[in-house]
Amino acid sequence: MDLELPMDKVSLGSNNTPDDSKINVVLVATGSFNPPTFMHLRMFELARDALHSEGYHVVAAYMSPVSDAYKKQANQSTYQRTLTILKRIESYFIDNKRLISRGSCLFVVLIYSNHLAYLDFGLLSRFYVLQSMLFGWKVRTICREYGVVCICREGQDVEKIISDNEILNENRSNIKVVDELVSNSISSTRLRYCISRGLSIKYLTIDGVIEYIREHRLYMNSIEK
């Protein structure tokens, strides 16, 4: 990998813990996170609770932002497809750090249901639906060899989305749908809207993000910087 993968919060069980008998899971969410919000953090908690209730052990979770080519502020100059990201993280755990053996851990894409229909989970934009269809084998590989945890947002008919999509439907056994029990309508778009109008975003994201936005004077396009 080009960058060192953060490992300080990885939670692998020791030989004397009950977690050794469980299947380990690493969650990976891709998107712009522009900016990251409590909604993004909350999806990891929902996924972890659901997986733990079924006997899995979530050992790590990662947010992988899009590149500069997506016209969002990030630190990569080219697209990083979700499949590429999954393979790199998998290799880092297994081949680089040798923390786990191959086959003892699942590397799973985490998304919200409104992104499920877009096919390519790395770009998350309607403009790339056709391009995603051309690379359908990558989506099929993600679903078949890795898997997807989908957080169901209120008003989304996930069953219909899956049934209407050939690739998703044939791999539905590897797509776990998790209900969003407490509705969360926080979005990056709404945060940017508030910031551009000089409104507070306190309690919508962590203080560190707010301080970074303020320090770098981000998202102030419609008001004087």
Side-chain angles (χ1 to χ4, degrees):
M1 296 184 70
D2 297 331
L3 298 175
E4 188 80 7
L5 193 68
M7 305 294 288
D8 55 308
K9 295 184 180 180
V10 173
S11 175
L12 290 173
S14 66
N15 293 330
N16 299 318
T17 66
D19 287 334
D20 291 329
S21 62
K22 298 180 178 181
I23 299 176
N24 294 321
V25 176
V26 174
L27 296 170
V28 181
T30 62
S32 61
F33 307 113
N34 186 42
T37 72
F38 282 136
M39 177 196 70
H40 297 125
L41 301 180
R42 183 64 187 156
M43 67 190 298
F44 286 101
E45 295 296 303
L46 291 169
R48 182 179 63 178
D49 284 347
L51 291 169
H52 281 187
S53 70
E54 295 189 2
Y56 296 94
H57 176 54
V58 176
V59 299
Y62 294 98
M63 297 169 67
S64 179
V66 297
S67 71
D68 287 347
Y70 186 61
K71 306 306 179 183
K72 304 285 187 179
Q73 294 187 14
N75 292 317
Q76 299 179 106
S77 59
T78 59
Y79 289 126
Q80 295 296 307
R81 295 281 183 179
T82 300
L83 181 57
T84 301
I85 294 166
L86 286 169
K87 287 182 177 296
R88 285 182 174 178
I89 292 177
E90 179 184 32
S91 177
Y92 197 84
F93 270 80
I94 296 173
D95 302 324
N96 191 336
K97 293 296 184 179
R98 302 185 185 278
L99 293 176
I100 53 179
S101 60
R102 192 170 299 278
S104 66
C105 185
L106 300 177
F107 295 83
V108 178
V109 175
L110 175 61
I111 59 173
Y112 267 108
S113 55
N114 53 308
H115 294 151
L116 188 60
Y118 296 168
L119 292 181
D120 190 320
F121 309 125
L123 298 179
L124 306 183
S125 171
R126 288 186 175 89
F127 292 108
Y128 294 96
V129 170
L130 179 58
Q131 185 177 6
S132 299
M133 293 173 67
L134 296 175
F135 290 93
W137 68 269
K138 293 185 178 181
V139 180
R140 183 173 278 106
T141 301
I142 290 172
C143 293
R144 184 179 65 244
E145 298 183 10
Y146 292 93
V148 177
V149 174
C150 175
I151 307 300
C152 183
R153 308 213 72 170
E154 189 174 1
Q156 289 278 324
D157 189 346
V158 178
E159 272 302 315
K160 186 177 188 308
I161 293 173
I162 294 175
S163 298
D164 289 348
N165 185 289
E166 179 184 354
I167 296 176
L168 299 179
N169 191 47
E170 70 182 34
N171 292 282
R172 63 168 56 243
S173 62
N174 286 339
I175 302 175
K176 178 169 182 55
V177 178
V178 179
D179 289 331
E180 188 177 44
L181 299 178
V182 179
S183 181
N184 186 342
S185 60
I186 298 174
S187 72
S188 297
T189 300
R190 293 182 180 182
L191 262 68
R192 295 195 302 271
Y193 178 89
C194 290
I195 296 167
S196 69
R197 284 153 182 77
L199 304 176
S200 171
I201 58 169
K202 184 77 171 178
Y203 307 120
L204 296 176
T205 186
I206 64 173
D207 289 343
V209 170
I210 297 175
E211 292 169 4
Y212 184 91
I213 291 171
R214 183 181 298 117
E215 178 183 352
H216 294 273
R217 300 179 67 79
L218 303 178
Y219 315 120
M220 301 174 66
N221 294 334
S222 64
I223 63 175
E224 184 179 354
K225 293 187 179 182

